[in-house]
Amino acid sequence: MPRFAIVRRLLCSRPLTKSFRYFYRYTRGGAYRHNETLWPLVKVRRDGSDQLVGCDVLGVRGPATLPLSQVSRGLAGDAHLILSGPSVAKIDYAQCRLGTVMGVNGSIALRRQHASLRFDYYAMLDAGFVKRRRDLVAEVLSQDLLLFVTPEVYRWIALLFDAQVIRCRIALFEEVHQRALQPRARPDELEAQLAADPELVLFDAHHAQHAHGFSLNAARGLFGGGTVAYTALQLLAWMGARTLYLHGLDLTAAAGPRFYESAGAQLATALDKQFSGHIEPAFREAGRLLSARGIKVYNLSPDSRLGGDVFEKRHWSCLLHQGASPPHLLASATS
């Protein structure tokens, strides 16, 4: 077995990674707890403004990364965020004419039924998904797209995949209140840091687990919203999208497994547990902010747990007529 393959296998071993986490947990204060999955394997690089620009994984040459400050912005036309809710399976993508498309986690599986569907951007927040669904991650990495990941997700991509076979470009992001290898900001500290900040809009610094807010500058950090959908929404708004369509934003496990999963074989989800206290309030405030900024957001999941007062609901068939009518003239439909 080649030497680098042995190193990768060792660094991926559960006993070793678990021992690292336990050692870090009991030798650091609680403010550093969110870094336990990074130490000591990941080193981050920052610029003069303390913005994250790259990271390195011990013993492995990972794929190159693109600083968010160099990401092209000014999206033209409509933008589509394709998520993993089961309602996605009801959309006939062969008939839809989509503009810019961003996927998350397992969205890439749609290409197995709709080979012409192209993803321009992608976002991954869950390292567990990378470890458990390597087949889908490999498909994403083979595409000509820009993939947004956290340092933890980057770590597992670098350890599990050969950099030479990765075709996509990769950009790193982090959450505002718990930056990589830095202490977690206390609510009062965060309020002081972001007071009157027009780019990092803080809704609620004192939420039980995660500060609620919305980032208008991804290079300075993103806010967590309990789901990668919230991360992706901030990225698309930052890149300049003025009209956004949300596909598969069902946000409830009761709707069934993700569109690419089968019953009894799906990965666990915390959607139902976090929805009322974390996810729904974050999206509601984000909806108000985006509306005030003239950004239109439409929810194509008719049975989404988010109400129509958060984002206007549309039937996916509205995508069939975009060439003939501007989005705001389309009649709302129900399923």
Side-chain angles (χ1 to χ4, degrees), residues 141-187:
L141 297 177
S142 70
Q143 304 297 306
D144 179 16
L145 53 78
L146 177 58
L147 169 63
F148 297 94
V149 301
T150 62
E152 184 185 2
V153 170
Y154 177 85
R155 165 198 171 177
W156 285 103
I157 288 175
L159 290 175
L160 297 175
F161 300 91
D162 188 337
Q164 295 182 342
V165 302
I166 296 177
R167 186 183 178 204
C168 72
R169 291 154 292 140
I170 297 178
L172 298 171
F173 69 88
E174 62 183 348
E175 293 191 351
V176 171
H177 70 298
Q178 49 182 26
R179 299 186 182 278
L181 299 180
Q182 293 184 356
R184 181 187 179 107
R186 296 195 308 268

Side-chain angles (χ1 to χ4, degrees), residues 12 14-15 39 47 61 68 92 135 152 175 179 190 203 206 209 214 247 278 283 287:
C12 288
R14 184 174 176 80
W39 184 90
D47 63 14
R61 175 176 287 184
L68 284 176
D92 186 355
D135 57 327
E152 184 185 2
E175 293 191 351
R179 299 186 182 278
L190 196 61
F203 301 144
H206 295 271
Q209 293 183 332
F214 196 91
H247 305 225
H278 186 27
F283 273 109

Side-chain angles (χ1 to χ4, degrees), residues 19-65:
S19 64
F20 282 152
R21 288 201 308 273
Y22 283 148
F23 181 81
Y24 187 87
R25 184 178 301 177
Y26 294 112
T27 57
R28 303 294 193 282
Y32 288 85
R33 179 66 56 84
H34 63 283
N35 294 311
E36 66 180 32
T37 58
L38 299 179
W39 184 90
L41 301 180
V42 177
K43 304 295 182 184
V44 300
R45 287 177 273 118
R46 298 181 180 276
D47 63 14
S49 301
D50 205 32
Q51 294 180 4
L52 183 65
V53 296
C55 66
D56 303 293
V57 179
L58 178 68
V60 175
R61 175 176 287 184
T65 58

Side-chain angles (χ1 to χ4, degrees), residues 86 250-258 266 269-272 305:
D250 301 341
L251 293 177
T252 174
R258 301 169 183 87
Q266 61 264 41
T269 176
L271 286 177
D272 290 338
R305 203 170 175 184

Side-chain angles (χ1 to χ4, degrees), residues 67-288:
L68 284 176
S69 60
Q70 296 181 19
V71 171
S72 178
R73 299 172 61 192
L75 295 183
D78 301 331
H80 298 262
L81 174 54
I82 299 181
L83 306 164
S84 303
S87 65
V88 164
K90 301 176 182 178
I91 300 176
D92 186 355
Y93 285 99
Q95 298 188 57
C96 298
R97 298 179 61 185
L98 306 183
T100 299
V101 177
M102 174 177 280
V104 304
N105 294 348
S107 306
I108 195 71
L110 276 174
R111 285 180 48 82
R112 298 173 182 179
Q113 290 78 41
H114 305 283
S116 62
L117 180 62
R118 173 186 171 84
F119 290 91
D120 305 285
Y121 302 98
Y122 222 88
M124 289 186 188
L125 184 63
D126 182 8
F129 177 83
V130 179
K131 291 182 281 185
R132 296 182 179 91
R133 292 308 307 260
R134 298 186 200 181
D135 57 327
L136 294 176
V137 176
E139 287 189 50
V140 174
L141 297 177
S142 70
Q143 304 297 306
D144 179 16
L145 53 78
L146 177 58
L147 169 63
F148 297 94
V149 301
T150 62
E152 184 185 2
V153 170
Y154 177 85
R155 165 198 171 177
W156 285 103
I157 288 175
L159 290 175
L160 297 175
F161 300 91
D162 188 337
Q164 295 182 342
V165 302
I166 296 177
R167 186 183 178 204
C168 72
R169 291 154 292 140
I170 297 178
L172 298 171
F173 69 88
E174 62 183 348
E175 293 191 351
V176 171
H177 70 298
Q178 49 182 26
R179 299 186 182 278
L181 299 180
Q182 293 184 356
R184 181 187 179 107
R186 296 195 308 268
D188 56 335
E189 293 175 333
L190 196 61
E191 283 185 320
Q193 292 170 11
L194 305 185
D197 191 323
E199 292 189 314
L200 298 177
V201 183
L202 184 64
F203 301 144
D204 179 9
H206 295 271
H207 188 267
Q209 293 183 332
H210 299 277
H212 283 169
F214 196 91
S215 174
L216 300 171
N217 185 345
R220 295 183 58 199
L222 298 175
F223 287 90
T227 169
V228 68
Y230 197 78
T231 298
L233 182 64
Q234 292 172 89
L235 288 167
L236 286 170
W238 168 67
M239 287 190 288
R242 304 300 298 175
T243 302
L244 275 156
Y245 291 89
L246 309 178
H247 305 225
L249 189 69
D250 301 341
L251 293 177
T252 174
R258 301 169 183 87
F259 78 87
Y260 57 86
E261 295 177 328
S262 57
Q266 61 264 41
L267 296 181
T269 176
L271 286 177
D272 290 338
K273 181 180 179 180
Q274 296 192 27
F275 180 80
S276 60
H278 186 27
I279 297 173
E280 198 275 347
F283 273 109
R284 183 171 294 278
E285 292 291 344
R288 292 171 180 156

Side-chain angles (χ1 to χ4, degrees), residues 282-296:
F283 273 109
R284 183 171 294 278
E285 292 291 344
R288 292 171 180 156
L289 175 66
L290 294 174
S291 178
R293 295 177 63 85
I295 299 174
K296 300 289 187 180

